[in-house]
Amino acid sequence: MGIDYLPLARDKGEEIVRLWNKELGKEFPLRKELFYQNSLEDKNVLLEGSWIALEKEKLVGFIISKIWKEDLECVKNKKDTGYIQVILVDSDYRNKGIGSELLRKAEEALKANGVKTVVLGQDPWHYFPGIPSEYIDTVEWFKKKGYVEFGEEYDLYCRLNGEGQVTLPVFPEVEFKILDKWQKNSFLEFLNRCFPGRWEYEAIKYFEKGGEGREFVVAEKKGKIIGFCRINDSKSPFIAQNVYWAPLFEEELGGIGPLGIDPEERGKGYGLAIVQAGMYFLNQRGIRNIVIDWTNLVDFYGKLGCKVWKRYIKYEKQF
Ligand SMILES: CC(C)(COP(=O)(O)OP(=O)(O)OC[C@H]1O[C@@H](n2cnc3c(N)ncnc32)[C@H](O)[C@@H]1OP(=O)(O)O)[C@@H](O)C(=O)NCCC(=O)NCCS
């Protein structure tokens, strides 16, 4: 069997999405728009490490790898981490060495770009925070390739029973409200001070892509932002991570997270309250299904009725 390995190319986009949905679509139905957003149009893709495998003209596998290419201060310290965003081989073509060759090519390119640690998933504009736990064969395969487990993450799900069930939390000293677009700078300053790194990066990108504030709940004390919670629905300026798999639901899906409270203000009930505020605002927008993605705070969110929905196992490899 002759297999050709070619660089990832935009004109293969639709075929890649078709292969993804054939293999993973039951659990992770991929919309074309999401593949373009997170793979073909993300500047962090490492092209030398992203390949497709073809038998004659037919697509039988692909791999996409990434490194942080943004010049932003908030992601500068991530330069020696690389990512395999996704690798997939058509199930009719497995155990023929195709996956090994795709991974070899990706790892070689990551190494050549100064990467010291490769993480599976967790890339900027990721699909998965680790290997979905139901893909046991994939887990075993990566273990054989030298990848080592470093924990688990979860997506949680919560069903709201109609408007009015969730109320806006009331604290005498703190107000929970939707971010006003004029507060953009003070909001970004808050993130830079309390949550520098990926969440700050995602907020900067949110405004660059035309976001105007309706996707952020903020907690304010004496006019100062002390907490935030991102909320998403189908009107968000890009497909946000907690609504990636919205096609699994008949009704609209909303998403909550990331979120955080100023370290100096924790332990006062504001963390749980801002999640509740997020649920309240989504519910006001007619949403009953809510996903909270990529978290290990199962007990914390459990207090608001959220249950584990998907589980991911985290793997990395040091070069
Ligand atoms: C997680 C976070 C938002 C909690 O904020 P907080 O204001 O300290 O939390 P609250 O005071 O509202 O806590 C309410 C309840 O949750 C519990 N709780 C708080 N943090 C928890 C944690 N990390 N794990 C489990 N339970 C937690 C509290 O014990 C309290 O329980 P009780 O009602 O039985 O007393 C805050 O610690 C934070 O900003 N962390 C960093 C960012 C982060 O991890 N965000 C979540 C990403 S998924």
Side-chain angles (χ1 to χ4, degrees):
M1 181 178 62
I3 299 291
D4 296 318
Y5 294 91
L6 299 179
L8 175 70
R10 205 183 163 82
D11 64 355
K12 293 286 177 199
E14 291 197 17
E15 228 179 315
I16 293 176
V17 172
R18 226 175 296 132
L19 176 60
W20 173 306
N21 282 326
K22 170 177 170 266
E23 300 297 339
L24 314 175
K26 213 167 119 251
E27 300 86 19
F28 300 98
L30 182 65
R31 289 167 274 179
K32 208 171 92 186
E33 298 77 13
L34 182 57
F35 183 68
Y36 278 70
Q37 172 188 293
N38 284 10
S39 297
L40 295 177
E41 279 158 14
D42 177 19
K43 70 191 280 192
N44 301 298
V45 168
L46 181 66
L47 280 175
E48 313 93 277
S50 301
W51 296 86
I52 54 175
L54 302 172
E55 193 210 25
K56 299 195 179 107
E57 295 287 286
K58 181 181 150 72
L59 180 86
V60 295
F62 66 95
I63 190 164
I64 298 172
S65 56
K66 294 193 187 180
I67 53 174
W68 288 93
K69 292 193 178 174
E70 300 273 3
D71 238 357
L72 294 166
E73 196 56 41
C74 53
V75 295
K76 278 230 162 86
N77 61 354
K78 297 179 188 290
K79 296 283 179 198
D80 59 2
T81 304
Y83 306 87
I84 304 294
Q85 183 190 39
V86 57
I87 177 171
L88 183 62
V89 174
D90 189 323
S91 46
D92 300 332
Y93 289 81
R94 296 205 181 148
N95 298 311
K96 298 175 195 295
I98 299 173
S100 296
E101 181 58 12
L102 287 169
L103 185 63
R104 192 193 65 72
K105 286 169 116 45
E107 287 184 346
E108 188 181 84
L110 289 165
K111 242 185 238 173
N113 277 273
V115 166
K116 304 245 167 10
T117 306
V118 188
V119 181
L120 303 181
Q122 305 206 353
D123 46 303
W125 309 99
H126 68 295
Y127 296 111
F128 311 115
I131 305 179
S133 63
E134 60 264 51
Y135 300 151
I136 297 159
D137 293 348
T138 311
V139 166
E140 292 306 318
W141 188 81
F142 272 110
K143 276 199 220 161
K144 273 203 276 177
K145 301 287 181 194
Y147 286 76
V148 177
E149 183 180 336
F150 67 102
E152 296 192 350
E153 299 290 344
Y154 305 89
D155 291 346
L156 310 178
Y157 170 77
C158 174
R159 169 89 187 160
L160 304 178
N161 292 320
E163 283 176 39
Q165 177 201 2
V166 190
T167 53
L168 195 59
V170 179
F171 285 81
E173 71 289 6
V174 175
E175 197 188 345
F176 298 91
K177 55 184 214 184
I178 297 293
L179 180 75
D180 193 291
K181 66 177 168 191
W182 308 112
Q183 293 178 291
K184 174 183 156 186
N185 289 342
S186 52
F187 177 56
L188 289 177
E189 276 162 27
F190 160 77
L191 288 179
N192 180 260
R193 184 169 59 81
C194 296
F195 300 102
R198 187 183 182 110
W199 292 351
E200 184 190 357
Y201 167 77
E202 288 172 357
I204 292 170
K205 291 283 143 183
Y206 165 82
F207 291 111
E208 271 180 28
K209 287 179 183 241
E212 297 202 325
R214 75 184 277 286
E215 277 76 18
F216 286 101
V217 180
V218 285
E220 282 183 11
K221 198 176 203 174
K222 294 187 186 139
K224 190 178 150 203
I225 297 175
I226 59 149
F228 84 106
C229 174
R230 172 87 198 249
I231 54 174
N232 298 298
D233 59 13
S234 60
K235 297 190 187 72
S236 302
F238 50 87
I239 306 176
Q241 62 267 40
N242 28 43
V243 299
Y244 283 166
W245 316 121
L248 290 172
F249 296 83
E250 273 177 25
E251 295 172 41
E252 180 163 5
L253 180 66
I256 287 189
L259 60 101
I261 300 293
D262 184 331
E264 299 203 342
E265 298 285 352
R266 290 184 193 161
K268 300 176 183 173
Y270 304 152
L272 217 48
I274 206 161
V275 180
Q276 188 182 324
M279 289 177 170
Y280 168 81
F281 286 115
L282 285 172
N283 207 206
Q284 290 285 306
R285 293 172 187 171
I287 287 168
R288 294 183 178 199
N289 293 310
I290 292 180
V291 163
I292 298 169
D293 71 298
W294 189 342
T295 183
N296 49 37
L297 301 182
V298 175
D299 294 342
F300 174 72
Y301 293 110
K303 291 177 193 292
L304 287 170
C306 305
K307 302 228 158 47
V308 170
W309 183 52
K310 289 180 183 284
R311 184 164 73 95
Y312 305 88
I313 312 171
K314 298 190 281 188
Y315 278 88
E316 66 176 16
K317 178 177 179 173
Q318 314 282 346
F319 285 145

